[in-house]
Amino acid sequence: MTGFEIALGAVGRESERVGAHGGEYEAALRRLWERGNGVSSWADDGLFGGIVAAYAECAQVSLAALNGVSGEIGHTGEAMAGVVANTRAVEAANAENARRVTWA
């Protein structure tokens, strides 16, 4: 034991869950984008124009940043699945190479 063991079954299951969370996160953000910036409900009479504009800009910048997080969640799930596949391939290659070794 080296301390670097991977529970491949658990990582494989969790990669699917993380990927699903990425999709759910993306759908939630899409609903927020569709709502708009929410300032129309303020019934601005011009008095709060500067505040309304700043709020709308902050909302758009925040959603754009969160959109990047959505992609990272999905990529993390894909990368976890890649770890499982790569580890299994390496273990299979190591087992095959160990069978080929002739001990003197």
Side-chain angles (χ1 to χ4, degrees):
M1 295 285 179
T2 64
F4 293 104
E5 291 75 27
I6 296 175
L8 293 179
V11 174
R13 285 188 303 278
E14 295 305 315
S15 71
E16 293 173 10
R17 291 182 63 197
V18 170
H21 287 312
E24 293 166 358
Y25 188 92
E26 184 178 349
L29 282 177
R30 192 171 30 255
R31 287 190 299 273
L32 288 173
W33 275 108
E34 291 168 355
R35 275 185 42 202
N37 56 25
V39 296
S40 61
S41 65
W42 293 20
D44 180 35
D45 59 0
L47 182 61
F48 291 107
I51 294 171
V52 168
Y55 178 86
E57 182 179 356
C58 288
Q60 289 176 343
V61 169
S62 298
L63 286 174
L66 292 173
N67 195 40
V69 173
S70 173
E72 290 304 315
I73 293 171
H75 294 314
T76 300
E78 293 169 7
M80 290 170 70
V83 166
V84 171
N86 290 341
T87 302
R88 286 190 174 135
V90 168
E91 286 178 348
N94 286 343
E96 180 62 30
N97 289 334
R99 282 191 286 278
R100 292 182 187 169
V101 172
T102 55
W103 302 97

